[in-house]
Protein backbone atom coordinates (compact mmCIF):
# COMPACT_ATOMS: atom_id res chain seq x y z
CA UNK A 1 0.00 0.00 0.00
CA UNK A 2 1.24 3.54 -0.68
CA UNK A 3 2.16 5.60 2.38
CA UNK A 4 -0.51 7.87 3.80
CA UNK A 5 -0.02 11.56 3.14
CA UNK A 6 -1.83 14.74 4.18
CA UNK A 7 -3.76 14.49 0.90
CA UNK A 8 -4.75 10.83 1.21
CA UNK A 9 -5.92 11.20 4.80
CA UNK A 10 -7.33 14.73 4.79
CA UNK A 11 -10.59 15.45 6.57
CA UNK A 12 -13.72 15.43 4.44
CA UNK A 13 -14.84 18.95 3.54
CA UNK A 14 -17.95 20.33 5.20
CA UNK A 15 -19.92 21.87 2.36
CA UNK A 16 -21.91 24.20 4.61
CA UNK A 17 -18.69 25.89 5.74
CA UNK A 18 -17.66 26.49 2.11
CA UNK A 19 -21.07 28.04 1.38
CA UNK A 20 -20.94 30.29 4.43
CA UNK A 21 -17.34 31.29 3.65
CA UNK A 22 -18.24 32.14 0.04
CA UNK A 23 -21.23 34.19 1.18
CA UNK A 24 -19.07 36.07 3.68
CA UNK A 25 -16.46 36.73 0.99
CA UNK A 26 -19.12 38.50 -1.08
CA UNK A 27 -20.08 40.76 1.81
CA UNK A 28 -16.48 41.54 2.71
CA UNK A 29 -15.72 42.66 -0.82
CA UNK A 30 -18.85 44.81 -0.87
CA UNK A 31 -17.76 46.51 2.35
CA UNK A 32 -14.14 46.92 1.19
CA UNK A 33 -14.54 48.30 -2.35
CA UNK A 34 -14.36 51.94 -1.27
CA UNK A 35 -11.72 51.54 1.48
CA UNK A 36 -9.44 49.59 -0.89
CA UNK A 37 -9.84 52.31 -3.51
CA UNK A 38 -8.33 54.75 -1.01
CA UNK A 39 -4.79 53.40 -1.33
CA UNK A 40 -3.05 53.68 2.03
CA UNK A 41 -6.21 53.98 4.09
CA UNK A 42 -6.91 51.56 6.92
CA UNK A 43 -9.90 49.26 7.06
CA UNK A 44 -12.59 51.58 8.40
CA UNK A 45 -16.18 52.17 7.28
CA UNK A 46 -16.37 54.84 4.61
CA UNK A 47 -17.93 58.04 5.86
CA UNK A 48 -20.41 59.03 3.18
CA UNK A 49 -20.77 62.73 2.57
CA UNK A 50 -24.52 62.34 2.11
CA UNK A 51 -26.54 59.89 4.14
CA UNK A 52 -28.41 58.48 1.19
CA UNK A 53 -30.80 55.55 1.61
CA UNK A 54 -28.26 53.31 -0.10
CA UNK A 55 -25.50 54.36 2.29
CA UNK A 56 -27.84 53.81 5.23
CA UNK A 57 -28.64 50.25 4.13
CA UNK A 58 -24.94 49.54 3.60
CA UNK A 59 -24.33 50.63 7.17
CA UNK A 60 -27.15 48.48 8.51
CA UNK A 61 -26.64 45.31 6.47
CA UNK A 62 -23.00 45.25 5.30
CA UNK A 63 -20.50 47.18 7.40
CA UNK A 64 -18.97 44.99 10.16
CA UNK A 65 -21.46 42.22 9.30
CA UNK A 66 -19.24 39.83 7.37
CA UNK A 67 -15.76 39.85 8.89
CA UNK A 68 -17.23 38.32 12.10
CA UNK A 69 -18.34 35.35 9.99
CA UNK A 70 -14.87 34.99 8.51
CA UNK A 71 -13.32 35.27 11.98
CA UNK A 72 -15.60 32.56 13.35
CA UNK A 73 -14.78 30.33 10.37
CA UNK A 74 -11.06 30.88 10.92
CA UNK A 75 -11.36 29.57 14.46
CA UNK A 76 -13.38 26.61 13.21
CA UNK A 77 -10.89 25.80 10.46
CA UNK A 78 -7.96 26.09 12.85
CA UNK A 79 -9.43 23.55 15.27
CA UNK A 80 -10.53 21.23 12.47
CA UNK A 81 -6.97 21.22 11.16
CA UNK A 82 -5.60 20.54 14.65
CA UNK A 83 -7.91 17.53 15.00
CA UNK A 84 -6.94 16.28 11.56
CA UNK A 85 -3.21 16.92 11.97
CA UNK A 86 -3.09 15.16 15.35
CA UNK A 87 -3.52 11.85 13.55
CA UNK A 88 -0.91 12.59 10.88
CA UNK A 89 2.02 14.18 12.65
CA UNK A 90 3.68 13.95 16.05
CA UNK A 91 3.82 17.77 16.31
CA UNK A 92 0.45 19.18 15.19
CA UNK A 93 0.94 22.49 17.01
CA UNK A 94 4.26 23.03 15.27
CA UNK A 95 2.42 22.57 11.98
CA UNK A 96 -0.20 25.15 13.04
CA UNK A 97 2.54 27.54 14.14
CA UNK A 98 4.10 27.28 10.71
CA UNK A 99 0.71 27.82 9.09
CA UNK A 100 0.13 31.03 11.06
CA UNK A 101 3.64 32.33 10.30
CA UNK A 102 3.10 31.76 6.59
CA UNK A 103 -0.23 33.58 6.81
CA UNK A 104 1.54 36.45 8.57
CA UNK A 105 4.05 36.65 5.72
CA UNK A 106 1.24 36.71 3.15
CA UNK A 107 -0.58 39.39 5.10
CA UNK A 108 2.48 41.61 5.45
CA UNK A 109 3.18 41.42 1.71
CA UNK A 110 -0.46 42.21 0.97
CA UNK A 111 -0.47 45.09 3.46
CA UNK A 112 2.74 46.80 2.40
CA UNK A 113 2.41 46.13 -1.32
CA UNK A 114 -1.30 46.79 -1.86
CA UNK A 115 -3.54 47.82 1.02
CA UNK A 116 -2.99 48.76 4.64
CA UNK A 117 -6.43 47.45 5.59
CA UNK A 118 -5.31 43.82 5.20
CA UNK A 119 -6.97 41.49 7.73
CA UNK A 120 -4.65 38.49 7.27
CA UNK A 121 -1.92 40.05 9.38
CA UNK A 122 -4.35 40.61 12.24
CA UNK A 123 -5.63 37.05 11.93
CA UNK A 124 -2.11 35.65 12.04
CA UNK A 125 -1.05 37.71 15.06
CA UNK A 126 -4.24 36.95 17.01
CA UNK A 127 -3.87 33.31 16.01
CA UNK A 128 -0.33 33.23 17.41
CA UNK A 129 -1.18 35.11 20.62
CA UNK A 130 -4.65 33.73 21.41
CA UNK A 131 -5.73 30.80 19.26
CA UNK A 132 -2.61 28.64 19.30
CA UNK A 133 -2.09 28.90 23.11
CA UNK A 134 -5.78 28.06 23.62
CA UNK A 135 -5.20 24.58 22.19
CA UNK A 136 -3.65 23.61 25.54
CA UNK A 137 -6.79 24.69 27.44
CA UNK A 138 -9.86 22.52 28.11
CA UNK A 139 -12.79 23.28 25.86
CA UNK A 140 -14.87 24.79 28.68
CA UNK A 141 -12.12 27.34 29.30
CA UNK A 142 -11.98 28.21 25.60
CA UNK A 143 -15.75 28.73 25.54
CA UNK A 144 -15.60 30.89 28.66
CA UNK A 145 -12.80 33.04 27.26
CA UNK A 146 -14.73 33.45 24.01
CA UNK A 147 -17.72 34.84 25.91
CA UNK A 148 -15.51 37.14 27.96
CA UNK A 149 -13.65 38.52 24.94
CA UNK A 150 -16.87 39.07 22.98
CA UNK A 151 -18.54 40.79 25.91
CA UNK A 152 -15.58 43.16 26.31
CA UNK A 153 -15.08 43.92 22.61
CA UNK A 154 -17.87 46.55 22.19
CA UNK A 155 -16.19 48.66 24.88
CA UNK A 156 -13.18 48.87 22.56
CA UNK A 157 -15.32 49.84 19.57
CA UNK A 158 -15.89 46.37 18.13
CA UNK A 159 -14.16 45.90 14.80
CA UNK A 160 -10.96 43.90 15.11
CA UNK A 161 -11.43 43.78 18.89
CA UNK A 162 -14.02 41.08 18.17
CA UNK A 163 -11.51 38.81 16.43
CA UNK A 164 -10.03 37.02 19.50
CA UNK A 165 -13.46 36.15 20.87
CA UNK A 166 -14.74 34.97 17.51
CA UNK A 167 -11.63 32.83 16.96
CA UNK A 168 -12.18 31.17 20.33
CA UNK A 169 -15.92 30.79 19.72
CA UNK A 170 -15.21 28.96 16.46
CA UNK A 171 -12.69 26.75 18.21
CA UNK A 172 -15.13 25.96 21.02
CA UNK A 173 -17.91 25.07 18.57
CA UNK A 174 -15.55 22.61 16.89
CA UNK A 175 -14.31 21.08 20.12
CA UNK A 176 -17.86 20.58 21.39
CA UNK A 177 -18.77 18.74 18.18
CA UNK A 178 -21.22 21.35 16.90
CA UNK A 179 -19.44 21.71 13.55
CA UNK A 180 -19.53 17.97 12.90
CA UNK A 181 -23.33 18.21 13.12
CA UNK A 182 -23.69 21.43 11.19
CA UNK A 183 -24.78 19.75 7.94
CA UNK A 184 -27.70 18.14 9.78
CA UNK A 185 -28.85 21.27 11.57
CA UNK A 186 -31.53 23.79 10.68
CA UNK A 187 -31.45 26.35 13.51
CA UNK A 188 -34.79 28.03 12.85
CA UNK A 189 -35.34 29.11 16.47
CA UNK A 190 -31.77 30.46 16.75
CA UNK A 191 -32.22 32.39 13.49
CA UNK A 192 -35.38 34.00 14.86
CA UNK A 193 -33.60 34.87 18.10
CA UNK A 194 -30.71 36.51 16.28
CA UNK A 195 -33.15 38.36 14.00
CA UNK A 196 -35.10 39.76 16.96
CA UNK A 197 -31.92 40.99 18.62
CA UNK A 198 -30.57 42.39 15.34
CA UNK A 199 -33.79 44.32 14.71
CA UNK A 200 -33.40 46.13 18.02
CA UNK A 201 -29.68 46.80 17.47
CA UNK A 202 -30.25 48.11 13.95
CA UNK A 203 -33.05 50.37 15.15
CA UNK A 204 -30.74 51.83 17.79
CA UNK A 205 -27.94 52.21 15.25
CA UNK A 206 -30.19 53.98 12.75
CA UNK A 207 -31.54 56.39 15.38
CA UNK A 208 -28.57 57.11 17.59
CA UNK A 209 -25.47 56.12 15.59
CA UNK A 210 -24.02 54.89 18.88
CA UNK A 211 -21.86 51.90 19.82
CA UNK A 212 -24.56 49.50 18.66
CA UNK A 213 -22.64 48.98 15.39
CA UNK A 214 -20.50 46.19 16.86
CA UNK A 215 -23.43 44.48 18.59
CA UNK A 216 -25.59 44.82 15.50
CA UNK A 217 -22.78 43.40 13.41
CA UNK A 218 -22.50 40.31 15.57
CA UNK A 219 -26.25 39.75 15.61
CA UNK A 220 -26.60 40.24 11.85
CA UNK A 221 -23.70 37.85 11.29
CA UNK A 222 -25.65 35.34 13.38
CA UNK A 223 -28.74 35.92 11.24
CA UNK A 224 -26.77 35.36 8.04
CA UNK A 225 -25.03 32.18 9.24
CA UNK A 226 -28.10 30.57 10.80
CA UNK A 227 -30.28 31.65 7.89
CA UNK A 228 -27.94 30.00 5.42
CA UNK A 229 -27.93 26.80 7.48
CA UNK A 230 -31.72 26.79 7.39
CA UNK A 231 -31.78 27.36 3.62
CA UNK A 232 -29.24 24.57 3.10
CA UNK A 233 -31.86 22.19 4.45
CA UNK A 234 -34.31 23.22 1.71
CA UNK A 235 -34.45 22.62 -2.07
CA UNK A 236 -32.31 25.78 -2.43
CA UNK A 237 -29.23 23.86 -1.29
CA UNK A 238 -27.95 23.01 -4.82
CA UNK A 239 -28.26 26.67 -5.86
CA UNK A 240 -26.50 28.00 -2.75
CA UNK A 241 -23.79 25.38 -3.12
CA UNK A 242 -23.23 26.19 -6.80
CA UNK A 243 -23.10 29.96 -6.19
CA UNK A 244 -21.09 30.24 -2.97
CA UNK A 245 -19.05 27.06 -2.46
CA UNK A 246 -16.53 27.69 -5.29
CA UNK A 247 -15.86 31.18 -3.91
CA UNK A 248 -15.50 29.76 -0.42
CA UNK A 249 -13.12 26.98 -1.40
CA UNK A 250 -10.79 29.55 -2.95
CA UNK A 251 -11.39 32.27 -0.35
CA UNK A 252 -7.73 33.17 0.20
CA UNK A 253 -7.02 33.42 -3.53
CA UNK A 254 -10.18 35.44 -4.11
CA UNK A 255 -9.57 37.75 -1.14
CA UNK A 256 -6.08 38.65 -2.33
CA UNK A 257 -6.97 38.95 -6.02
CA UNK A 258 -9.97 41.17 -5.19
CA UNK A 259 -7.63 43.85 -3.86
CA UNK A 260 -5.77 43.98 -7.18
CA UNK A 261 -9.00 44.01 -9.18
CA UNK A 262 -10.54 46.80 -7.10
CA UNK A 263 -7.40 48.93 -7.44
CA UNK A 264 -7.37 48.44 -11.21
CA UNK A 265 -11.08 49.15 -11.66
CA UNK A 266 -11.06 52.19 -9.35
CA UNK A 267 -8.52 53.87 -11.63
CA UNK A 268 -11.08 53.72 -14.43
CA UNK A 269 -13.72 55.57 -12.39
CA UNK A 270 -13.34 59.32 -12.73
CA UNK A 271 -14.88 60.37 -9.40
CA UNK A 272 -13.26 59.93 -5.96
CA UNK A 273 -14.28 56.72 -4.15
CA UNK A 274 -15.96 58.56 -1.25
CA UNK A 275 -18.45 60.09 -3.72
CA UNK A 276 -19.46 56.82 -5.35
CA UNK A 277 -23.13 55.94 -5.03
CA UNK A 278 -23.98 52.51 -3.72
CA UNK A 279 -24.91 51.41 -7.24
CA UNK A 280 -21.29 51.94 -8.35
CA UNK A 281 -20.01 49.90 -5.41
CA UNK A 282 -22.49 47.14 -6.19
CA UNK A 283 -21.49 47.08 -9.87
CA UNK A 284 -17.77 46.88 -9.08
CA UNK A 285 -18.21 44.18 -6.45
CA UNK A 286 -20.66 42.27 -8.65
CA UNK A 287 -18.33 42.30 -11.64
CA UNK A 288 -15.38 41.07 -9.56
CA UNK A 289 -17.39 38.35 -7.85
CA UNK A 290 -18.86 37.14 -11.14
CA UNK A 291 -15.36 36.83 -12.61
CA UNK A 292 -14.03 35.12 -9.48
CA UNK A 293 -16.95 32.71 -9.39
CA UNK A 294 -16.36 31.71 -13.02
CA UNK A 295 -12.62 31.24 -12.52
CA UNK A 296 -13.11 29.38 -9.22
CA UNK A 297 -15.73 27.05 -10.70
CA UNK A 298 -13.62 26.18 -13.74
CA UNK A 299 -10.42 25.90 -11.70
CA UNK A 300 -11.89 23.51 -9.14
CA UNK A 301 -13.16 21.20 -11.86
CA UNK A 302 -9.53 20.41 -12.62
CA UNK A 303 -7.63 21.20 -9.43
CA UNK A 304 -8.10 20.36 -5.78
CA UNK A 305 -7.05 23.72 -4.37
CA UNK A 306 -6.89 27.35 -5.37
CA UNK A 307 -3.40 28.66 -6.18
CA UNK A 308 -2.83 30.45 -2.85
CA UNK A 309 -4.52 27.65 -0.90
CA UNK A 310 -2.13 25.18 -2.53
CA UNK A 311 0.92 27.27 -1.63
CA UNK A 312 -0.33 27.72 1.94
CA UNK A 313 -0.88 23.99 2.30
CA UNK A 314 2.59 23.24 0.88
CA UNK A 315 4.22 25.64 3.33
CA UNK A 316 2.16 24.23 6.20
CA UNK A 317 3.01 20.57 5.61
CA UNK A 318 6.46 21.15 4.07
CA UNK A 319 5.59 18.77 1.26
CA UNK A 320 4.00 19.52 -2.08
CA UNK A 321 0.34 18.44 -2.14
CA UNK A 322 -1.17 16.87 -5.24
CA UNK A 323 -2.79 19.66 -7.23
CA UNK A 324 -4.58 18.08 -10.15
CA UNK A 325 -7.71 16.01 -9.76
CA UNK A 326 -7.48 12.36 -10.82
CA UNK A 327 -10.91 10.85 -11.32
CA UNK A 328 -13.43 10.62 -8.49
CA UNK A 329 -10.78 9.77 -5.95
CA UNK A 330 -9.61 13.37 -5.90
CA UNK A 331 -12.61 14.70 -4.03
CA UNK A 332 -11.83 17.24 -1.35
Amino acid sequence: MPPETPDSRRRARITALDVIRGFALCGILLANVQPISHVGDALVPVQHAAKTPGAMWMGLLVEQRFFPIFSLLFGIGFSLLLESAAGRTASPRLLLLRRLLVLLAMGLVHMFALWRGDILTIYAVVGLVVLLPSTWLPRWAVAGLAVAFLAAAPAFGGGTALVPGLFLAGSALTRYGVIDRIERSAPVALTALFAAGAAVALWLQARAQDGSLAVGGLLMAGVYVCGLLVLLRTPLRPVLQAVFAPLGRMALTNYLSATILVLVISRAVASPPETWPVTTVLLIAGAILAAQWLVSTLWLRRFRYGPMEWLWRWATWLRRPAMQRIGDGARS
Side-chain angles (χ1 to χ4, degrees), residues 20 68 83 146 168 170 237 253 260 291 298:
I20 295 169
E83 290 180 0
L168 294 174
R237 180 185 177 92
T253 297
I260 299 172
L298 295 176

Side-chain angles (χ1 to χ4, degrees), residues 10-326:
R10 65 187 181 277
R11 204 180 202 277
R13 296 194 72 92
I14 301 175
T15 301
L17 297 182
D18 286 329
V19 171
I20 295 169
R21 188 179 295 108
F23 176 78
L25 185 77
C26 297
I28 287 172
L29 176 58
L30 191 58
N32 285 351
V33 164
Q34 285 174 288
I36 291 173
S37 300
H38 288 277
V39 177
D41 285 357
L43 179 58
V44 294
V46 173
Q47 301 298 319
H48 299 273
K51 290 298 179 181
T52 63
M56 181 190 70
W57 285 110
M58 285 282 287
L60 293 176
L61 300 179
V62 177
E63 291 176 5
Q64 292 200 31
R65 273 52 177 164
F66 292 94
F67 89 85
I69 303 176
F70 240 98
S71 301
L72 185 73
L73 289 171
F74 190 91
I76 291 171
F78 188 89
S79 289
L80 287 175
L81 181 57
L82 177 61
E83 290 180 0
S84 181
R88 310 181 198 179
T89 175
S91 305
R93 290 180 178 83
L94 179 60
L95 181 144
L96 291 170
L97 172 62
R98 192 160 55 237
R99 185 171 180 83
L100 289 170
L101 291 175
V102 173
L103 183 67
L104 178 61
M106 290 182 182
L108 289 172
V109 171
H110 184 228
M111 180 172 63
F112 287 111
L114 295 172
W115 181 43
R116 272 178 28 199
D118 168 77
I119 196 68
L120 301 181
T121 305
I122 295 171
Y123 276 17
V125 171
V126 175
L128 290 167
V129 174
V130 176
L131 198 51
L132 186 58
S134 77
T135 61
W136 278 279
L137 297 176
R139 62 184 186 177
W140 61 265
V142 174
L145 284 172
V147 173
F149 276 124
L150 290 174
F156 296 92
T160 55
L162 293 165
V163 172
L166 290 165
F167 276 12
L168 294 174
S171 178
L173 289 172
T174 304
R175 294 175 67 175
Y176 274 100
V178 175
I179 302 306
D180 286 330
R181 303 190 297 271
I182 197 171
E183 291 278 16
R184 303 187 296 275
S185 67
V188 178
L190 191 57
T191 305
L193 185 63
F194 273 123
V200 175
L202 297 187
W203 180 77
L204 291 173
Q205 180 184 331
R207 286 178 59 86
Q209 292 295 317
D210 60 7
S212 59
L213 178 64
V215 176
L218 282 177
L219 292 171
M220 280 303 301
V223 172
Y224 291 147
V225 170
C226 292
L228 279 172
L229 291 175
V230 171
L231 292 175
L232 284 170
R233 299 283 290 173
T234 71
L236 288 175
R237 180 185 177 92
V239 176
L240 294 172
Q241 187 172 333
V243 171
F244 295 118
L247 293 170
R249 289 186 61 186
M250 289 178 50
L252 179 60
T253 297
N254 288 327
Y255 171 76
L256 294 172
S257 63
T259 301
I260 299 172
L261 293 172
V262 169
L263 290 173
V264 170
I265 293 173
S266 65
R267 298 301 177 268
V269 181
S271 56
E274 66 271 13
T275 67
W276 292 349
V278 172
T279 51
T280 300
V281 175
L282 289 170
L283 285 172
I284 293 173
I288 291 172
L289 289 169
Q292 289 184 330
W293 175 85
L294 180 60
V295 171
S296 297
T297 300
L298 295 176
W299 182 276
L300 291 171
R301 287 179 183 176
R302 184 173 181 182
F303 302 107
R304 297 181 179 188
Y305 314 104
M308 296 306 299
E309 288 76 10
W310 181 73
L311 288 172
W312 196 17
R313 189 177 184 88
W314 189 353
T316 297
W317 289 94
L318 295 182
R319 66 185 74 179
R320 187 173 64 180
M323 182 64 156
Q324 193 161 356
R325 289 180 172 275
I326 304 174

